[in-house]
Amino acid sequence: MGPSGALRAALWALLLPLISAQEGILHAFSNDNPLLKKDYCITYNPSWTSLPSSLSSAIPTKLTILTPKLLCNSSDVPHDIMRDKAAVVMRGNCSFLEKAWIAQGLGAKILLIASQTGLDTPSGDRTMYKNLSIPIALISNVDVLDINKSLGNNVSVTLYSPPLPEFDFSMVVIFLIAVLTVALGGFWSGMEELEELKAAASSDNTPVSRKTSESIILNPVKVVVFVVLSCVMLVLLYYFYQWLVYIIIAIFCLASSISLYNCLQVLIRKIPFGQCRISCFNTAFEVRLFLLAGLCIAAAVVWGVFRNEDSWAWILQDILGISFCLNFIRTLRMPNFKSCVILLGLLLLYDVFFVFITPFLTKNGESIMVEVATGPFKNSEKNYGNMLEASVQQSAPHEKLPVVMRVPRLQFCTPMVCGLPFSLLGFGDIILPGLLVAYCHRFDVQTSSSSVYYISCSLAYAVGMVLTFVVLSLMKMAQPALLYLVPCILATSAIVAWSRKEMKKFWEGNNYQDQSGSYAEEEPQPQCNQKAGRDEAPGSF
């Protein structure tokens, strides 16, 4: 085995315990009206059950719903009621294999076990399934009730498990959104830096005025505090999701409406028309900006009201999310490369820990990061050891955190039915690398280096995203994007600085904070030096 084979084996050894239960699709249709049909998620053990890979190769079987029967004894049901049918019984009191042996003995073709406590992998004595011929699958009890309600009593079902596509083209849309947002956010930050430097150069007797009220400087101490608070918030969301999700939704609506206004008003001000003003409380307002503010608020409110409409609400969420990321990259400023390394390094460890390590620490083997990002699945229930939650319905079963870009999957696959119909990319995977791209562009502006840092870092981010998607396609499971993005952008930025013999200046920062916390110009004007020390102070939390 060569080095590449050994590396692949080591990766699979690390990731194999995190692979979830084998998921499949139950296709149900009414025998009285074949146009009435619906797909439902099931889980099964591939060691016991082999399902066809397409609907056309699956054989329909008439469904009989026997819940709340448990089928732990052959006398629980009449002997002929299950013959040549797909039988649904309730989970509990005996093992899945015991139910399967009884169902097979009674002539059933398929055994479906209705669960109120989640769709985990069917398991049991491995020596017992060798002579078992009927498929066994778990289905949510809520879905069983929906079949009876939506399709009636005369229903047939087929079970199949389509393979995951090698490449989902929705990732191309995600890629374009991420790269363009990072590049545009970094460009915007650099252009603001250029405007501030021009304003400083043109003023002889007035203080140099940076936008300290709009900007926040992340020094190393604030970076550590930020990462610690992120860890605490993620853990709180995992355990108190059903309450905190509504607070996050409210914050997102407020922050995204402000961000959308900040992004659009820059474009509106470039238009030389419609600049009429109205006076109110001794202050003049541009009518077009007032209307723009109303439009941005309305967009956030509409998303807040219809956020669970999967058919179109994702478009509005992505628009608000892009504006949020752009405004965040512009507002949050890194003073030097050292702070960027500390921030991205700590958050890389944070990302890997909460994606790859936490499944070994949680009682139900869940990744905290993935669970919080995707939210609770519809009809899902958490099982803590042998203790089950008292209520079958969760407080917020459909709510998802608005902290991701969402693009619908463009190819039909099992995750579309089993609660993940979208490809996702977290805001953090855009904002955090974007802060380094923004610093690189500001450094280019300060040193007149022809945008070499900005362009190289933006290209490195694009390469890191491609690498993320390649690994995602190979592993068929969620990936911490920062694991691939951070090394790409940090290494590229460092190589450019070394090759240009500017590493010390790039590491310490050219034009931002000195250790006392005040701005220090590299070559300050003598008559403005004292004023700059008094008037210019970094924004703070």
Side-chain angles (χ1 to χ4, degrees):
M1 181 184 293
S4 61
L7 178 60
R8 182 179 298 179
L11 258 173
W12 275 111
L14 174 65
L15 300 179
L16 192 59
L18 305 181
I19 298 176
S20 61
Q22 182 71 44
E23 294 174 332
I25 297 173
L26 181 146
H27 179 75
F29 60 92
S30 172
N31 293 318
D32 299 325
N33 183 3
L35 295 178
L36 289 177
K37 53 188 177 181
K38 203 167 182 180
D39 292 327
Y40 299 91
C41 180
I42 59 173
T43 60
Y44 67 98
N45 190 325
S47 298
W48 300 357
T49 302
S50 178
L51 296 183
S53 59
S54 64
L55 179 61
S56 59
S57 58
I59 300 175
T61 306
K62 187 174 175 58
L63 181 71
T64 178
I65 300 176
L66 303 177
T67 56
K69 299 292 185 181
L70 296 174
L71 199 65
C72 289
N73 191 299
S74 59
S75 61
D76 287 349
V77 297
H79 281 202
D80 293 333
I81 197 171
M82 300 176 66
R83 186 168 300 279
D84 296 327
K85 295 180 181 177
V88 185
V89 297
M90 189 62 68
R91 179 179 185 174
N93 285 14
C94 55
S95 71
F96 300 139
L97 281 174
E98 289 178 289
K99 296 177 186 291
W101 279 117
I102 295 173
Q104 182 171 288
L106 294 175
K109 293 294 185 182
I110 297 173
L111 176 64
L112 298 171
I113 301 173
S115 175
Q116 293 181 324
T117 57
L119 300 183
D120 50 352
T121 308
S123 60
D125 187 353
R126 295 282 176 154
T127 62
M128 296 177 62
Y129 69 80
K130 292 182 179 179
N131 298 319
L132 194 64
S133 60
I134 66 171
I136 311 169
L138 261 70
I139 183 172
S140 170
N141 188 57
V142 178
D143 286 343
V144 174
L145 297 176
D146 185 73
I147 291 174
N148 197 20
K149 179 180 178 181
S150 303
L151 305 178
N153 296 322
N154 189 11
V155 175
S156 291
V157 299
T158 56
L159 308 184
Y160 69 108
S161 181
L164 290 175
E166 291 297 324
F167 181 79
D168 192 337
F169 287 95
S170 63
M171 290 190 291
V172 176
V173 182
I174 290 282
F175 172 82
L176 293 175
I177 290 175
V179 173
L180 292 177
T181 301
V182 166
L184 184 57
F187 180 80
W188 189 5
S189 181
M191 288 300 99
E192 283 199 342
E193 180 73 14
L194 181 61
E195 292 177 2
E196 292 169 12
L197 291 178
K198 287 180 178 179
S202 64
S203 59
D204 295 331
N205 298 317
T206 57
V208 178
S209 175
R210 293 184 182 268
K211 298 182 179 180
T212 57
S213 61
E214 298 180 11
S215 301
I216 298 174
I217 309 299
L218 267 187
N219 58 35
V221 175
K222 291 178 181 177
V223 164
V224 174
V225 173
F226 174 77
V227 174
V228 171
L229 291 178
S230 298
C231 294
V232 172
M233 189 62 190
L234 187 64
V235 173
L236 289 176
L237 280 168
Y238 180 73
Y239 286 105
F240 304 103
Y241 188 97
Q242 62 268 38
W243 299 293
L244 293 180
V245 63
Y246 295 109
I247 298 177
I248 301 299
I249 289 173
I251 293 174
F252 175 74
C253 288
L254 177 62
S256 62
S257 61
I258 295 173
S259 299
L260 185 61
Y261 174 82
N262 288 339
C263 293
L264 295 180
Q265 62 94 15
V266 173
L267 301 177
I268 294 294
R269 290 184 185 278
K270 301 292 184 181
I271 302 174
F273 306 107
Q275 299 180 4
C276 56
R277 297 173 176 267
I278 57 174
S279 298
C280 183
F281 300 106
N282 298 324
T283 304
F285 299 95
E286 284 192 31
V287 175
R288 60 181 183 175
L289 295 181
F290 184 78
L291 295 176
L292 177 63
L295 176 65
C296 295
I297 294 173
V301 170
V302 169
W303 176 84
V305 173
F306 298 100
R307 60 188 178 275
N308 292 318
E309 294 290 336
D310 286 343
S311 58
W312 60 269
W314 64 272
I315 301 176
L316 199 52
Q317 178 172 325
D318 287 353
I319 292 173
L320 294 172
I322 290 170
S323 62
F324 176 81
C325 292
L326 287 173
N327 193 59
F328 210 97
I329 293 172
R330 176 190 72 100
T331 303
L332 202 61
R333 297 190 175 188
M334 308 304 294
N336 46 49
F337 188 54
K338 175 176 68 176
S339 296
C340 293
V341 171
I342 295 173
L343 175 66
L344 293 174
L346 289 177
L347 287 170
L348 169 60
L349 297 176
Y350 158 90
D351 218 11
V352 171
F353 175 79
F354 281 106
V355 172
F356 285 151
I357 307 300
T358 53
F360 298 101
L361 305 178
T362 55
K363 292 183 178 180
N364 47 12
E366 297 171 335
S367 165
I368 289 181
M369 179 74 76
V370 175
E371 286 293 309
V372 170
T374 58
F377 295 157
K378 182 180 179 181
N379 305 332
S380 68
E381 235 354 74
K382 290 186 178 179
N383 181 347
Y384 300 99
N386 294 321
M387 298 179 61
L388 304 179
E389 293 179 356
S391 174
V392 173
Q393 297 295 329
Q394 293 181 348
S395 301
H398 302 289
E399 299 296 349
K400 305 289 190 296
L401 285 176
V403 294
V404 293
M405 300 294 180
R406 300 198 304 163
V407 176
R409 297 180 186 270
L410 302 180
Q411 295 172 274
F412 183 79
C413 56
T414 304
M416 293 184 67
V417 180
C418 293
L420 289 174
F422 294 89
S423 294
L424 308 176
L425 182 69
F427 289 169
D429 299 324
I430 298 175
I431 292 173
L432 299 172
L435 296 177
L436 176 56
V437 174
Y439 171 69
C440 287
H441 197 200
R442 292 197 305 272
F443 188 81
D444 283 327
V445 169
Q446 295 158 12
T447 58
S448 302
S449 54
S450 304
S451 301
V452 62
Y453 287 93
Y454 166 67
I455 293 174
S456 60
C457 194
S458 298
L459 291 176
Y461 178 80
V463 171
M465 287 299 300
V466 171
L467 181 59
T468 302
F469 292 145
V470 168
V471 176
L472 180 65
S473 297
L474 293 176
M475 296 299 182
K476 307 296 184 186
M477 61 178 296
Q479 297 293 319
L482 292 182
L483 178 62
Y484 313 100
L485 295 173
V486 170
C488 285
I489 60 177
L490 287 182
T492 301
S493 301
I495 290 172
V496 172
W498 276 111
S499 64
R500 295 176 61 85
K501 297 180 173 57
E502 295 175 338
M503 189 61 194
K504 183 177 180 181
K505 182 186 293 185
F506 189 64
W507 178 262
E508 296 177 351
N510 182 55
N511 200 26
Y512 276 86
Q513 285 181 303
D514 59 18
Q515 293 182 353
S516 64
S518 60
Y519 283 104
E521 297 290 341
E522 188 179 24
E523 294 181 0
Q525 298 292 332
Q527 61 186 8
C528 298
N529 189 34
Q530 293 180 350
K531 293 181 179 180
R534 288 195 307 266
D535 295 337
E536 293 182 9
S540 58
F541 286 112

